[in-house]
Amino acid sequence: MADMSPFFRSRTRRDHLVTLIRKPGCHLCDDAQVVIEKVCGDLGVRWEQKDITQDPELHAEYWEQIPVVLVDGRQHTFWRVNEDRLRKALTD
């Protein structure tokens, strides 16, 4: 069987990007970062963090939900990050 065109192939784990939107001094943000570092490290997924206090657009959209986790630019969760749920989102 011939390889499928890259157009039809599903995304690999390494194609994902997890974004943690956080603010300084936030203990829930620190907890979320621990989970993200573990899951992304285990799976080889890239992740980044953004400081809500440095971005007016992020502040306007998410200030009541910090921390917020995005997977590939779409909101995955807020306040508390569930390790199993994040892992599933990155492997399905």
Side-chain angles (χ1 to χ4, degrees):
M1 178 185 266
D3 285 344
M4 294 179 72
S5 161
F7 179 77
F8 294 106
R9 253 184 241 140
S10 63
R11 293 172 63 117
T12 65
R13 292 177 189 164
R14 295 187 191 279
D15 290 336
H16 290 295
L17 175 62
V18 175
T19 304
L20 171 61
I21 302 170
R22 60 171 301 151
K23 65 181 179 183
C26 167
H27 74 280
L28 288 178
C29 300
D30 295 338
D31 293 346
Q33 183 171 333
V34 169
V35 174
I36 291 167
E37 286 177 341
K38 180 179 189 310
V39 171
C40 289
D42 289 350
L43 299 176
V45 172
R46 296 175 304 131
W47 75 278
E48 66 182 359
Q49 55 184 325
K50 295 186 177 182
D51 182 343
I52 198 170
T53 65
Q54 302 299 312
D55 187 319
E57 288 180 28
L58 291 177
H59 186 274
E61 187 165 354
Y62 298 117
W63 72 273
E64 292 183 321
Q65 298 177 338
I66 292 300
V68 175
V69 177
L70 309 178
V71 173
D72 301 327
R74 299 183 72 180
Q75 187 168 341
H76 170 73
T77 194
F78 61 96
W79 293 339
R80 299 211 183 268
V81 181
N82 178 284
E83 180 179 339
D84 293 334
R85 185 169 175 261
L86 179 58
R87 190 175 300 276
K88 184 172 177 12
L90 296 172
T91 55
D92 280 353

